[in-house]
Amino acid sequence: MLLPACALLVLVNLVTICRYRQDKQRARAGAWRVPESTLLGLAAIGGSPGALLACRLLRHKTRKQPFASLLLLIAAVQAGAAAGWLLG
């Protein structure tokens, strides 16, 4: 049960990184962007580590508010839930 869940989380994080990269490329090209709701949604379903990594590596959406604050909130809630699950 744990292995499929971990594999799913890895997949969600890889997809998240790819979508952030795609949004960065579209921003540079002046093309249609990936909606912020999609990027935050991917973070909310478990892709927050990938989202935070992509923001840092790509220097993308690091100062955009309220996006950056919402992403940090999602990550904090998920970290708290994970800590509670591990300690509980």
Side-chain angles (χ1 to χ4, degrees):
M1 182 73 164
L2 187 59
L3 187 58
C6 288
L8 184 60
L9 278 176
V10 168
L11 179 64
V12 167
N13 279 277
L14 289 174
V15 169
T16 301
I17 291 168
C18 289
R19 291 296 277 174
Y20 274 73
R21 183 173 179 257
Q22 182 182 47
D23 188 51
K24 178 71 171 191
Q25 290 172 334
R26 288 180 178 184
R28 287 181 178 157
W32 286 97
R33 305 284 300 276
V34 176
E36 288 186 353
S37 59
T38 299
L39 298 175
L40 290 171
L42 286 167
I45 63 169
S48 59
L52 292 170
L53 179 65
C55 285
R56 183 165 176 97
L57 292 177
L58 302 171
R59 296 186 199 187
H60 189 50
K61 296 214 176 266
T62 55
R63 293 182 289 165
K64 173 101 172 160
Q65 292 300 334
F67 183 89
S69 295
L70 289 171
L71 179 56
L72 289 175
L73 177 64
I74 290 167
V77 168
Q78 289 176 346
W85 180 76
L86 289 171
L87 296 174

